[in-house]
Amino acid sequence: MTLSAKDHIIPQYSFQEMFPAGNGMLELIEAKGQFNKHKAMFLVPHRRDYYQLGLVDEGDGRHWVDSALYQLNPNCFYFSTPQQVHIKEQAKPFMGVNICFTREFIELENNRVFRDLPIITNPQNGHELKLQPADRDFIRRIIGLMLDEQHQHQSWKNAALQAYLHNLLIYLSRLYEQQFTATEQNTDRQLLRQFTTLIAEHYRQLHEVAAYAQLLHISTGHLTAVVKAQSGKTPIRHIHERLVVEAKRLLFHTGHSVKEIAFELGFEDDAYFNRFFKRLENSTPTEYRRSILEIYR
C-alpha cells in the first residue's frame, strides 16, 4: 500500500487508500468473521487521516492507540480520531461494524455543533466507551439503519447517512462526557489545542505559521516541532487543510464564484487559489464543486 506521505516517520494511511471504491467520505464495513485485508497494518505503528467508530459483536484482539492498550470487548464501543497512532497486535477475525468517515463529511455540514462534539474533538485522547445493554441496543439500531441506507440506491442517500451519523455522534458524545472526566493535559497537547483554536479564528487573515507563533508568544521552530510531534502534521499543513475545508464548504453550500471564494479566504489572486486548491486536492475548485454536487444529488 502506498503511503500518503513518504516523509512521515510513522506511516499515515488516507481514507482514499483504504477505501478506493467508496464515495471518498464515508464507509460502513460489516465484518462477518473474515480477517482484515490490510495485513500490512498489523504490528506496525501507523496513523489514519480519518475517524473510525467500531462496534464489536463477537471476537477479541489487542490494539494500542497512542500509549494505551485495549482488549476488544463486545461490551465496549471503540473510536479513534485522525492522527492517533495505532498498533494492532493480533489479526483475529471478528464480527461487528466499523464506520469510517473523513473530516470533510462532518465539516461540509455548516453546523459547528457537530464539529465540536466530544467524540469528534476527543479532548481526553480516548478510544473506548463502555456500553450498557440499552446503549448497545440503541447504537445497533442506528448502525442498522445506516447499513440499510448504504445498500439502497435512493435519492439523498448521503444526506440520510449524514443525519443518522449525527444522531449517533450526539449519543456517543453523551457517553463520552459521562465516562471521561476532565484531566489536566500536558503542555504540548495544550499548545496543539491552542494552535488549532487560533486557526479556526484567524484562517481567513493569517496563512503563515510565523503569525500563529507570534500570537502564541513562541518561536516558529518550537511551534513546528510540537505540532508535528503531537499531530503528525506540520503547522502549515493544519492551516492549509482548514482553508481547504472552508473552500469546500463554500463551493458546496453557496453559489459564489471561485474568485469570490478566493477573496473571502484571504487570497488576493484567484489564480493562486486555484493552484493552491489543486495542489492539495488534485482537482480545481470548479471540478470539486461539480463532483460534490453529483455525490449529493
Side-chain angles (χ1 to χ4, degrees), residues 1 13-22 27-42 46 48 50 52 88 90-94 98 100:
M1 180 181 292
Y13 296 96
S14 72
F15 188 91
Q16 288 71 25
E17 288 169 332
M18 297 298 293
F19 311 108
E27 193 76 24
L28 279 80
I29 308 97
E30 192 169 15
K32 299 181 179 180
Q34 70 270 32
F35 285 95
N36 190 304
K37 64 181 179 180
H38 300 293
K39 295 296 180 65
M41 298 174 70
F42 287 100
H46 62 277
R48 304 165 187 172
Y50 53 89
Q52 181 167 324
K88 293 185 177 181
Q90 296 171 332
K92 290 186 176 181
F94 79 99
N98 283 323
C100 302

mmCIF file of all heavy atoms in Angstrom, residues 1 13-22 27-42 46 48 50 52 88 90-94 98 100:
data_model
loop_
_atom_site.group_PDB
_atom_site.id
_atom_site.type_symbol
_atom_site.label_atom_id
_atom_site.label_comp_id
_atom_site.label_asym_id
_atom_site.label_seq_id
_atom_site.Cartn_x
_atom_site.Cartn_y
_atom_site.Cartn_z
ATOM 1 N N MET A 1 0.848 -1.188 0.000
ATOM 2 C CA MET A 1 0.000 0.000 0.000
ATOM 3 C C MET A 1 0.882 1.236 0.000
ATOM 4 O O MET A 1 1.842 1.342 0.740
ATOM 5 C CB MET A 1 -0.895 0.014 1.237
ATOM 6 C CG MET A 1 -1.796 1.226 1.312
ATOM 7 S SD MET A 1 -2.815 1.195 2.803
ATOM 8 C CE MET A 1 -3.867 -0.196 2.413
ATOM 9 N N TYR A 13 -2.084 6.482 6.636
ATOM 10 C CA TYR A 13 -2.943 5.966 5.576
ATOM 11 C C TYR A 13 -4.129 6.893 5.384
ATOM 12 O O TYR A 13 -4.772 7.318 6.347
ATOM 13 C CB TYR A 13 -3.431 4.560 5.928
ATOM 14 C CG TYR A 13 -2.307 3.546 6.013
ATOM 15 C CD1 TYR A 13 -1.728 3.216 7.238
ATOM 16 C CD2 TYR A 13 -1.798 2.954 4.864
ATOM 17 C CE1 TYR A 13 -0.689 2.298 7.309
ATOM 18 C CE2 TYR A 13 -0.767 2.042 4.930
ATOM 19 C CZ TYR A 13 -0.215 1.719 6.158
ATOM 20 O OH TYR A 13 0.814 0.818 6.227
ATOM 21 N N SER A 14 -4.423 7.187 4.144
ATOM 22 C CA SER A 14 -5.540 8.081 3.847
ATOM 23 C C SER A 14 -6.823 7.283 3.640
ATOM 24 O O SER A 14 -6.805 6.076 3.381
ATOM 25 C CB SER A 14 -5.245 8.889 2.577
ATOM 26 O OG SER A 14 -5.321 8.038 1.436
ATOM 27 N N PHE A 15 -7.932 7.978 3.743
ATOM 28 C CA PHE A 15 -9.236 7.348 3.533
ATOM 29 C C PHE A 15 -9.314 6.776 2.120
ATOM 30 O O PHE A 15 -9.820 5.677 1.907
ATOM 31 C CB PHE A 15 -10.337 8.389 3.743
ATOM 32 C CG PHE A 15 -11.736 7.821 3.742
ATOM 33 C CD1 PHE A 15 -12.330 7.418 4.920
ATOM 34 C CD2 PHE A 15 -12.442 7.693 2.563
ATOM 35 C CE1 PHE A 15 -13.616 6.885 4.931
ATOM 36 C CE2 PHE A 15 -13.724 7.167 2.557
ATOM 37 C CZ PHE A 15 -14.311 6.760 3.749
ATOM 38 N N GLN A 16 -8.804 7.526 1.146
ATOM 39 C CA GLN A 16 -8.879 7.075 -0.244
ATOM 40 C C GLN A 16 -8.057 5.818 -0.474
ATOM 41 O O GLN A 16 -8.438 4.951 -1.274
ATOM 42 C CB GLN A 16 -8.413 8.197 -1.187
ATOM 43 C CG GLN A 16 -9.383 9.359 -1.308
ATOM 44 C CD GLN A 16 -9.454 10.224 -0.068
ATOM 45 O OE1 GLN A 16 -8.492 10.279 0.722
ATOM 46 N NE2 GLN A 16 -10.567 10.903 0.134
ATOM 47 N N GLU A 17 -6.938 5.677 0.211
ATOM 48 C CA GLU A 17 -6.116 4.481 0.077
ATOM 49 C C GLU A 17 -6.807 3.263 0.684
ATOM 50 O O GLU A 17 -6.729 2.162 0.144
ATOM 51 C CB GLU A 17 -4.766 4.693 0.761
ATOM 52 C CG GLU A 17 -3.857 5.647 0.011
ATOM 53 C CD GLU A 17 -2.650 6.044 0.829
ATOM 54 O OE1 GLU A 17 -2.723 6.058 2.066
ATOM 55 O OE2 GLU A 17 -1.615 6.356 0.210
ATOM 56 N N MET A 18 -7.493 3.475 1.798
ATOM 57 C CA MET A 18 -8.142 2.369 2.485
ATOM 58 C C MET A 18 -9.438 1.938 1.807
ATOM 59 O O MET A 18 -9.798 0.761 1.811
ATOM 60 C CB MET A 18 -8.433 2.764 3.939
ATOM 61 C CG MET A 18 -7.180 3.049 4.754
ATOM 62 S SD MET A 18 -6.095 1.613 4.894
ATOM 63 C CE MET A 18 -7.101 0.535 5.902
ATOM 64 N N PHE A 19 -10.158 2.904 1.213
ATOM 65 C CA PHE A 19 -11.465 2.605 0.618
ATOM 66 C C PHE A 19 -11.543 3.216 -0.785
ATOM 67 O O PHE A 19 -12.316 4.143 -1.035
ATOM 68 C CB PHE A 19 -12.592 3.161 1.502
ATOM 69 C CG PHE A 19 -12.447 2.807 2.957
ATOM 70 C CD1 PHE A 19 -12.079 3.768 3.886
ATOM 71 C CD2 PHE A 19 -12.652 1.506 3.390
ATOM 72 C CE1 PHE A 19 -11.932 3.445 5.228
ATOM 73 C CE2 PHE A 19 -12.505 1.169 4.729
ATOM 74 C CZ PHE A 19 -12.143 2.138 5.644
ATOM 75 N N PRO A 20 -10.760 2.702 -1.713
ATOM 76 C CA PRO A 20 -10.689 3.320 -3.048
ATOM 77 C C PRO A 20 -11.979 3.233 -3.847
ATOM 78 O O PRO A 20 -12.193 4.014 -4.776
ATOM 79 C CB PRO A 20 -9.558 2.533 -3.730
ATOM 80 C CG PRO A 20 -9.519 1.221 -3.005
ATOM 81 C CD PRO A 20 -9.867 1.539 -1.582
ATOM 82 N N ALA A 21 -12.858 2.300 -3.505
ATOM 83 C CA ALA A 21 -14.075 2.124 -4.305
ATOM 84 C C ALA A 21 -15.275 2.854 -3.713
ATOM 85 O O ALA A 21 -16.372 2.790 -4.263
ATOM 86 C CB ALA A 21 -14.405 0.633 -4.422
ATOM 87 N N GLY A 22 -15.104 3.559 -2.593
ATOM 88 C CA GLY A 22 -16.232 4.207 -1.935
ATOM 89 C C GLY A 22 -16.508 5.592 -2.493
ATOM 90 O O GLY A 22 -16.018 5.970 -3.553
ATOM 91 N N GLU A 27 -17.696 5.321 4.881
ATOM 92 C CA GLU A 27 -17.764 3.904 4.531
ATOM 93 C C GLU A 27 -18.175 3.112 5.767
ATOM 94 O O GLU A 27 -17.634 3.308 6.860
ATOM 95 C CB GLU A 27 -16.400 3.422 4.047
ATOM 96 C CG GLU A 27 -16.422 2.071 3.378
ATOM 97 C CD GLU A 27 -16.970 2.111 1.962
ATOM 98 O OE1 GLU A 27 -16.917 3.195 1.327
ATOM 99 O OE2 GLU A 27 -17.448 1.061 1.491
ATOM 100 N N LEU A 28 -19.166 2.228 5.610
ATOM 101 C CA LEU A 28 -19.542 1.282 6.661
ATOM 102 C C LEU A 28 -19.054 -0.089 6.249
ATOM 103 O O LEU A 28 -19.339 -0.554 5.139
ATOM 104 C CB LEU A 28 -21.062 1.245 6.856
ATOM 105 C CG LEU A 28 -21.674 2.359 7.714
ATOM 106 C CD1 LEU A 28 -21.822 3.635 6.900
ATOM 107 C CD2 LEU A 28 -23.029 1.938 8.257
ATOM 108 N N ILE A 29 -18.303 -0.740 7.132
ATOM 109 C CA ILE A 29 -17.745 -2.057 6.831
ATOM 110 C C ILE A 29 -18.311 -3.054 7.827
ATOM 111 O O ILE A 29 -18.048 -2.948 9.027
ATOM 112 C CB ILE A 29 -16.201 -2.058 6.911
ATOM 113 C CG1 ILE A 29 -15.627 -0.931 6.050
ATOM 114 C CG2 ILE A 29 -15.641 -3.402 6.485
ATOM 115 C CD1 ILE A 29 -15.300 0.329 6.807
ATOM 116 N N GLU A 30 -19.092 -3.994 7.335
ATOM 117 C CA GLU A 30 -19.685 -5.003 8.186
ATOM 118 C C GLU A 30 -18.790 -6.233 8.187
ATOM 119 O O GLU A 30 -18.613 -6.882 7.154
ATOM 120 C CB GLU A 30 -21.087 -5.350 7.708
ATOM 121 C CG GLU A 30 -21.889 -6.171 8.695
ATOM 122 C CD GLU A 30 -23.353 -6.269 8.320
ATOM 123 O OE1 GLU A 30 -23.708 -5.954 7.169
ATOM 124 O OE2 GLU A 30 -24.147 -6.666 9.193
ATOM 125 N N ALA A 31 -18.173 -6.541 9.328
ATOM 126 C CA ALA A 31 -17.283 -7.693 9.443
ATOM 127 C C ALA A 31 -18.090 -8.919 9.865
ATOM 128 O O ALA A 31 -18.854 -8.859 10.818
ATOM 129 C CB ALA A 31 -16.189 -7.416 10.473
ATOM 130 N N LYS A 32 -17.899 -10.010 9.134
ATOM 131 C CA LYS A 32 -18.655 -11.240 9.403
ATOM 132 C C LYS A 32 -17.714 -12.417 9.645
ATOM 133 O O LYS A 32 -17.920 -13.517 9.152
ATOM 134 C CB LYS A 32 -19.603 -11.532 8.243
ATOM 135 C CG LYS A 32 -20.632 -10.434 8.015
ATOM 136 C CD LYS A 32 -21.573 -10.753 6.868
ATOM 137 C CE LYS A 32 -22.601 -9.661 6.683
ATOM 138 N NZ LYS A 32 -23.536 -9.954 5.552
ATOM 139 N N GLY A 33 -16.652 -12.150 10.390
ATOM 140 C CA GLY A 33 -15.723 -13.214 10.749
ATOM 141 C C GLY A 33 -14.498 -13.304 9.888
ATOM 142 O O GLY A 33 -13.611 -14.113 10.145
ATOM 143 N N GLN A 34 -14.394 -12.447 8.872
ATOM 144 C CA GLN A 34 -13.232 -12.513 7.996
ATOM 145 C C GLN A 34 -12.050 -11.790 8.635
ATOM 146 O O GLN A 34 -12.196 -10.983 9.529
ATOM 147 C CB GLN A 34 -13.541 -11.890 6.622
ATOM 148 C CG GLN A 34 -13.721 -10.375 6.642
ATOM 149 C CD GLN A 34 -15.156 -9.969 6.879
ATOM 150 O OE1 GLN A 34 -15.898 -10.638 7.571
ATOM 151 N NE2 GLN A 34 -15.549 -8.854 6.295
ATOM 152 N N PHE A 35 -10.838 -12.081 8.133
ATOM 153 C CA PHE A 35 -9.655 -11.369 8.589
ATOM 154 C C PHE A 35 -9.596 -10.013 7.906
ATOM 155 O O PHE A 35 -10.077 -9.846 6.785
ATOM 156 C CB PHE A 35 -8.378 -12.159 8.252
ATOM 157 C CG PHE A 35 -8.163 -13.349 9.144
ATOM 158 C CD1 PHE A 35 -8.603 -14.606 8.757
ATOM 159 C CD2 PHE A 35 -7.545 -13.206 10.365
ATOM 160 C CE1 PHE A 35 -8.417 -15.704 9.573
ATOM 161 C CE2 PHE A 35 -7.341 -14.303 11.193
ATOM 162 C CZ PHE A 35 -7.779 -15.555 10.796
ATOM 163 N N ASN A 36 -8.990 -9.053 8.585
ATOM 164 C CA ASN A 36 -8.773 -7.744 7.985
ATOM 165 C C ASN A 36 -7.862 -7.890 6.764
ATOM 166 O O ASN A 36 -6.812 -8.520 6.830
ATOM 167 C CB ASN A 36 -8.124 -6.809 9.009
ATOM 168 C CG ASN A 36 -8.091 -5.371 8.541
ATOM 169 O OD1 ASN A 36 -7.566 -5.067 7.473
ATOM 170 N ND2 ASN A 36 -8.652 -4.492 9.340
ATOM 171 N N LYS A 37 -8.266 -7.276 5.656
ATOM 172 C CA LYS A 37 -7.494 -7.445 4.414
ATOM 173 C C LYS A 37 -6.205 -6.620 4.393
ATOM 174 O O LYS A 37 -5.326 -6.870 3.583
ATOM 175 C CB LYS A 37 -8.355 -7.083 3.210
ATOM 176 C CG LYS A 37 -8.776 -5.619 3.170
ATOM 177 C CD LYS A 37 -9.665 -5.344 1.955
ATOM 178 C CE LYS A 37 -10.111 -3.890 1.916
ATOM 179 N NZ LYS A 37 -10.963 -3.609 0.749
ATOM 180 N N HIS A 38 -6.097 -5.632 5.275
ATOM 181 C CA HIS A 38 -4.916 -4.766 5.267
ATOM 182 C C HIS A 38 -3.870 -5.318 6.227
ATOM 183 O O HIS A 38 -3.587 -4.758 7.284
ATOM 184 C CB HIS A 38 -5.310 -3.336 5.638
ATOM 185 C CG HIS A 38 -6.309 -2.733 4.696
ATOM 186 N ND1 HIS A 38 -6.012 -2.448 3.383
ATOM 187 C CD2 HIS A 38 -7.611 -2.393 4.881
ATOM 188 C CE1 HIS A 38 -7.093 -1.933 2.792
ATOM 189 N NE2 HIS A 38 -8.055 -1.899 3.683
ATOM 190 N N LYS A 39 -3.258 -6.413 5.861
ATOM 191 C CA LYS A 39 -2.313 -7.085 6.758
ATOM 192 C C LYS A 39 -1.066 -6.243 7.021
ATOM 193 O O LYS A 39 -0.408 -6.420 8.045
ATOM 194 C CB LYS A 39 -1.911 -8.435 6.148
ATOM 195 C CG LYS A 39 -3.067 -9.425 6.050
ATOM 196 C CD LYS A 39 -3.590 -9.803 7.429
ATOM 197 C CE LYS A 39 -4.729 -10.793 7.364
ATOM 198 N NZ LYS A 39 -4.351 -12.098 6.833
ATOM 199 N N ALA A 40 -0.741 -5.331 6.104
ATOM 200 C CA ALA A 40 0.455 -4.506 6.296
ATOM 201 C C ALA A 40 0.343 -3.608 7.521
ATOM 202 O O ALA A 40 1.346 -3.120 8.032
ATOM 203 C CB ALA A 40 0.694 -3.644 5.051
ATOM 204 N N MET A 41 -0.876 -3.410 8.020
ATOM 205 C CA MET A 41 -1.079 -2.510 9.150
ATOM 206 C C MET A 41 -0.842 -3.194 10.490
ATOM 207 O O MET A 41 -0.754 -2.530 11.515
ATOM 208 C CB MET A 41 -2.494 -1.934 9.106
ATOM 209 C CG MET A 41 -2.763 -1.101 7.860
ATOM 210 S SD MET A 41 -4.477 -0.567 7.746
ATOM 211 C CE MET A 41 -4.542 0.627 9.069
ATOM 212 N N PHE A 42 -0.750 -4.516 10.535
ATOM 213 C CA PHE A 42 -0.569 -5.214 11.788
ATOM 214 C C PHE A 42 0.883 -5.143 12.260
ATOM 215 O O PHE A 42 1.822 -5.244 11.462
ATOM 216 C CB PHE A 42 -1.014 -6.675 11.666
ATOM 217 C CG PHE A 42 -2.503 -6.811 11.589
ATOM 218 C CD1 PHE A 42 -3.132 -7.002 10.378
ATOM 219 C CD2 PHE A 42 -3.282 -6.715 12.740
ATOM 220 C CE1 PHE A 42 -4.507 -7.105 10.298
ATOM 221 C CE2 PHE A 42 -4.657 -6.826 12.674
ATOM 222 C CZ PHE A 42 -5.281 -7.013 11.450
ATOM 223 N N HIS A 46 1.047 3.149 12.938
ATOM 224 C CA HIS A 46 0.570 3.921 11.803
ATOM 225 C C HIS A 46 -0.490 4.911 12.253
ATOM 226 O O HIS A 46 -1.083 4.768 13.321
ATOM 227 C CB HIS A 46 -0.006 3.005 10.712
ATOM 228 C CG HIS A 46 -1.194 2.213 11.163
ATOM 229 N ND1 HIS A 46 -1.071 1.032 11.862
ATOM 230 C CD2 HIS A 46 -2.529 2.429 11.033
ATOM 231 C CE1 HIS A 46 -2.267 0.548 12.132
ATOM 232 N NE2 HIS A 46 -3.176 1.382 11.648
ATOM 233 N N ARG A 48 -3.981 7.318 10.790
ATOM 234 C CA ARG A 48 -5.019 7.401 9.767
ATOM 235 C C ARG A 48 -5.499 8.846 9.688
ATOM 236 O O ARG A 48 -5.499 9.546 10.708
ATOM 237 C CB ARG A 48 -6.194 6.483 10.122
ATOM 238 C CG ARG A 48 -5.772 5.036 10.323
ATOM 239 C CD ARG A 48 -6.851 4.241 11.026
ATOM 240 N NE ARG A 48 -6.372 2.890 11.351
ATOM 241 C CZ ARG A 48 -7.050 2.032 12.100
ATOM 242 N NH1 ARG A 48 -8.224 2.374 12.618
ATOM 243 N NH2 ARG A 48 -6.556 0.837 12.348
ATOM 244 N N TYR A 50 -8.533 9.773 9.057
ATOM 245 C CA TYR A 50 -9.995 9.780 9.129
ATOM 246 C C TYR A 50 -10.458 9.279 10.493
ATOM 247 O O TYR A 50 -9.678 8.733 11.274
ATOM 248 C CB TYR A 50 -10.583 8.899 8.027
ATOM 249 C CG TYR A 50 -10.043 7.485 7.976
ATOM 250 C CD1 TYR A 50 -10.631 6.459 8.717
ATOM 251 C CD2 TYR A 50 -8.928 7.166 7.196
ATOM 252 C CE1 TYR A 50 -10.127 5.162 8.677
ATOM 253 C CE2 TYR A 50 -8.422 5.876 7.150
ATOM 254 C CZ TYR A 50 -9.028 4.879 7.887
ATOM 255 O OH TYR A 50 -8.534 3.600 7.857
ATOM 256 N N GLN A 52 -12.750 6.780 12.912
ATOM 257 C CA GLN A 52 -13.239 5.412 12.854
ATOM 258 C C GLN A 52 -14.030 5.089 14.116
ATOM 259 O O GLN A 52 -13.564 5.331 15.229
ATOM 260 C CB GLN A 52 -12.097 4.407 12.696
ATOM 261 C CG GLN A 52 -12.570 2.963 12.600
ATOM 262 C CD GLN A 52 -11.473 2.017 12.143
ATOM 263 O OE1 GLN A 52 -10.637 2.371 11.318
ATOM 264 N NE2 GLN A 52 -11.471 0.817 12.671
ATOM 265 N N LYS A 88 -1.906 -2.692 15.847
ATOM 266 C CA LYS A 88 -2.732 -3.881 16.031
ATOM 267 C C LYS A 88 -1.806 -5.065 16.300
ATOM 268 O O LYS A 88 -0.967 -5.404 15.474
ATOM 269 C CB LYS A 88 -3.585 -4.135 14.790
ATOM 270 C CG LYS A 88 -4.645 -3.066 14.575
ATOM 271 C CD LYS A 88 -5.554 -3.426 13.408
ATOM 272 C CE LYS A 88 -6.644 -2.400 13.240
ATOM 273 N NZ LYS A 88 -7.563 -2.731 12.120
ATOM 274 N N GLN A 90 -2.886 -8.272 17.045
ATOM 275 C CA GLN A 90 -3.437 -9.556 16.635
ATOM 276 C C GLN A 90 -4.342 -9.375 15.421
ATOM 277 O O GLN A 90 -5.082 -8.403 15.333
ATOM 278 C CB GLN A 90 -4.241 -10.185 17.786
ATOM 279 C CG GLN A 90 -3.391 -10.513 19.003
ATOM 280 C CD GLN A 90 -4.238 -10.918 20.197
ATOM 281 O OE1 GLN A 90 -5.370 -10.502 20.332
ATOM 282 N NE2 GLN A 90 -3.678 -11.745 21.065
ATOM 283 N N ALA A 91 -4.275 -10.339 14.513
ATOM 284 C CA ALA A 91 -5.085 -10.299 13.303
ATOM 285 C C ALA A 91 -6.251 -11.271 13.398
ATOM 286 O O ALA A 91 -6.511 -12.053 12.511
ATOM 287 C CB ALA A 91 -4.222 -10.622 12.082
ATOM 288 N N LYS A 92 -6.930 -11.244 14.539
ATOM 289 C CA LYS A 92 -8.027 -12.188 14.739
ATOM 290 C C LYS A 92 -9.282 -11.733 13.988
ATOM 291 O O LYS A 92 -9.569 -10.541 13.906
ATOM 292 C CB LYS A 92 -8.344 -12.318 16.221
ATOM 293 C CG LYS A 92 -7.280 -13.041 17.033
ATOM 294 C CD LYS A 92 -7.756 -13.239 18.467
ATOM 295 C CE LYS A 92 -6.738 -14.037 19.266
ATOM 296 N NZ LYS A 92 -7.206 -14.257 20.666
ATOM 297 N N PRO A 93 -10.059 -12.689 13.467
ATOM 298 C CA PRO A 93 -11.333 -12.313 12.844
ATOM 299 C C PRO A 93 -12.334 -11.892 13.917
ATOM 300 O O PRO A 93 -12.247 -12.328 15.065
ATOM 301 C CB PRO A 93 -11.774 -13.599 12.153
ATOM 302 C CG PRO A 93 -11.130 -14.687 12.945
ATOM 303 C CD PRO A 93 -9.815 -14.134 13.414
ATOM 304 N N PHE A 94 -13.256 -11.015 13.560
ATOM 305 C CA PHE A 94 -14.294 -10.630 14.496
ATOM 306 C C PHE A 94 -15.549 -10.275 13.712
ATOM 307 O O PHE A 94 -15.529 -10.100 12.494
ATOM 308 C CB PHE A 94 -13.841 -9.468 15.378
ATOM 309 C CG PHE A 94 -13.904 -8.114 14.711
ATOM 310 C CD1 PHE A 94 -14.969 -7.261 14.930
ATOM 311 C CD2 PHE A 94 -12.886 -7.698 13.865
ATOM 312 C CE1 PHE A 94 -15.023 -6.017 14.313
ATOM 313 C CE2 PHE A 94 -12.929 -6.465 13.242
ATOM 314 C CZ PHE A 94 -14.007 -5.618 13.477
ATOM 315 N N ASN A 98 -17.597 -1.347 11.437
ATOM 316 C CA ASN A 98 -16.762 -0.157 11.515
ATOM 317 C C ASN A 98 -17.380 0.934 10.659
ATOM 318 O O ASN A 98 -17.838 0.670 9.533
ATOM 319 C CB ASN A 98 -15.343 -0.433 11.026
ATOM 320 C CG ASN A 98 -14.508 -1.181 12.047
ATOM 321 O OD1 ASN A 98 -14.626 -0.934 13.245
ATOM 322 N ND2 ASN A 98 -13.665 -2.086 11.586
ATOM 323 N N CYS A 100 -16.256 4.485 9.084
ATOM 324 C CA CYS A 100 -15.114 5.358 8.827
ATOM 325 C C CYS A 100 -15.588 6.568 8.027
ATOM 326 O O CYS A 100 -16.349 6.423 7.071
ATOM 327 C CB CYS A 100 -14.031 4.608 8.050
ATOM 328 S SG CYS A 100 -13.434 3.121 8.896
#
